[in-house]
Amino acid sequence: MSSTSEAKGRIVKALSGYYYVLPHEAESPEQTVQCRARGVFKKRGLTPLVGDDVVYSLTENGEGTVEELLPRSSELIRPPVANVDLAILVFSVTEPTLNLQLLDKFLVHIEHSGIEAVLCLSKQDLEQDGEETEEAIAAAAAVNRIYTAIGYEVYGTSSRQGVGVEELHGRLKGHVAVFAGQSGVGKSSLLNALVPGLALETNEISNRLGRGKHTTRHVELVEIGGGYVADTPGFSQLDFTELGIEDLGYCFREMRQLAPDCKFRACTHVHEPGCAVLKAVEEGTIAPSRHQNYLTFMTEMKERKRRY
């Protein structure tokens, strides 16, 4: 039986073998078409992903078939989402205490996947009413100082007070974004402030599933008025298996910029003479914490190599 018509859309949800496609000309996020994928994808070793732009056809019963996957601008493995072009990295200024090493680890993964990263410091309200005020203010200041200097945008938000939420919402417009960050930083409340009614659902789901480590949640793109947010646990596994040691320096923006000035082409920025990066660390133009974390990751990667 021949398909009636072909159209373009985006997969916004995948569940139990069905792909929910939102037509490009849809007027509301509810107008998705429930589709199956053609068998030919499996033969070619392709899997449609949430975020994929596709050509689909409508069948007689009002359902559809995904006929063709359009080229992807990016592809994440965990979480499995295509065409994400913005990562919002959420870290709290207090409870849990801000961990710059973990922040840099997230940034390495985001830079490696070629996605633009924006930093978001949540729980700014706890600065005012907690005992850890000084520590929290210092942590926020350190992030602003170190990361704006290398070109990252930093947003401060408080979901409770609604501070910074509108600015962040504006930044998400026109993008497909994924939220990532350590647990307990208030990602859910932030998402809920951006998309009323969303995080309630995610918490109920995880409570119902007993918050198991290995519960597979389906990935979904949520329309937030001019943009999409992937409702997923974010970059869940931060190991360096996909990274080569030569990629590591590339994932630190300021080192990537200086690497061409190093004396040796394959400079590791650890001990080489004529290293532009080490010179910058000495002169204070590269933050010591960034270089220290780079060395830590380097060691981690070498040890992993030895183990396997």
Side-chain angles (χ1 to χ4, degrees):
M1 200 187 301
S2 67
S3 310
T4 43
S5 65
E6 283 198 348
K8 286 181 181 172
R10 173 178 276 154
I11 298 176
V12 291
K13 183 165 87 169
L15 198 56
S16 325
Y18 279 105
Y19 297 96
Y20 295 83
V21 175
L22 186 65
H24 284 336
E25 66 283 351
E27 280 161 26
S28 115
E30 274 78 62
Q31 295 175 319
T32 54
V33 180
Q34 182 174 304
C35 296
R36 289 277 192 200
R38 288 187 56 202
V40 67
F41 294 129
K42 218 175 210 133
K43 284 196 197 97
R44 291 194 208 135
L46 293 171
T47 307
L49 292 178
V50 167
D52 264 328
D53 286 311
V54 298
V55 174
Y56 69 98
S57 62
L58 288 173
T59 47
E60 318 254 298
N61 59 4
E63 290 192 354
T65 307
V66 175
E67 301 284 350
E68 190 190 332
L69 302 181
L70 298 172
R72 293 170 180 162
S73 64
S74 69
E75 182 184 331
L76 296 179
I77 298 159
R78 290 182 296 260
V81 191
N83 298 320
V84 166
D85 59 358
L86 190 62
I88 309 290
L89 201 41
V90 188
F91 270 70
S92 101
V93 287
T94 174
E95 294 177 22
T97 318
L98 210 136
N99 176 341
L100 289 184
Q101 189 178 331
L102 190 58
L103 174 54
D104 284 340
K105 201 171 225 193
F106 270 106
L107 282 173
V108 163
H109 284 270
I110 293 167
E111 289 283 341
H112 185 245
S113 55
I115 295 167
E116 195 182 351
V118 165
L119 307 187
C120 171
L121 296 179
S122 68
K123 299 196 181 176
Q124 299 272 327
D125 47 18
L126 295 178
E127 270 189 31
Q128 288 94 22
D129 61 18
E131 278 106 65
E132 300 154 276
T133 315
E134 277 173 38
E135 194 189 328
I137 289 171
V143 170
N144 275 298
R145 189 182 66 249
I146 296 169
Y147 296 92
T148 48
I150 48 183
Y152 289 109
E153 293 167 67
V154 181
Y155 288 80
T157 60
S158 152
S159 312
R160 270 203 307 196
Q161 298 171 348
V163 174
V165 172
E166 216 163 292
E167 289 86 338
L168 188 60
H169 191 267
R171 183 63 181 86
L172 294 168
K173 284 207 164 132
H175 292 282
V176 176
V178 62
F179 276 64
Q182 71 196 112
S183 53
V185 295
K187 284 195 297 278
S188 294
S189 18
L190 185 58
L191 278 169
N192 201 29
L194 289 163
V195 195
L198 164 71
L200 293 173
E201 230 172 77
T202 56
N203 286 341
E204 278 163 20
I205 288 173
S206 51
N207 287 338
R208 223 180 22 248
L209 298 175
R211 287 186 184 278
K213 269 271 175 354
H214 302 289
T215 49
T216 44
R217 288 256 325 272
H218 70 276
V219 178
E220 194 168 338
L221 286 188
V222 182
E223 217 274 334
I224 57 155
Y228 286 94
V229 168
D231 172 24
T232 85
F235 291 72
S236 46
Q237 288 179 292
L238 291 177
D239 59 35
F240 291 123
T241 39
E242 287 118 36
L243 265 174
I245 282 174
E246 59 288 343
D247 297 337
L248 188 60
Y250 182 84
C251 296
F252 281 75
R253 280 184 177 184
E254 63 277 51
M255 297 185 196
R256 175 162 83 216
Q257 243 167 339
L258 287 173
D261 303 335
C262 290
K263 186 176 173 186
F264 299 106
R265 235 179 112 182
C267 186
T268 60
H269 319 312
V270 178
H271 48 61
E272 293 87 343
C275 169
V277 169
L278 289 175
K279 186 174 172 226
V281 175
E282 222 166 277
E283 290 169 355
T285 46
I286 282 184
S289 65
R290 290 274 290 166
H291 189 251
Q292 191 45 59
N293 291 338
Y294 167 77
L295 296 177
T296 305
F297 300 159
M298 188 73 120
T299 310
E300 226 176 279
M301 287 166 81
K302 283 181 178 154
E303 278 170 6
R304 175 165 283 120
K305 261 209 162 111
R306 244 180 250 127
R307 269 208 307 273
Y308 292 118

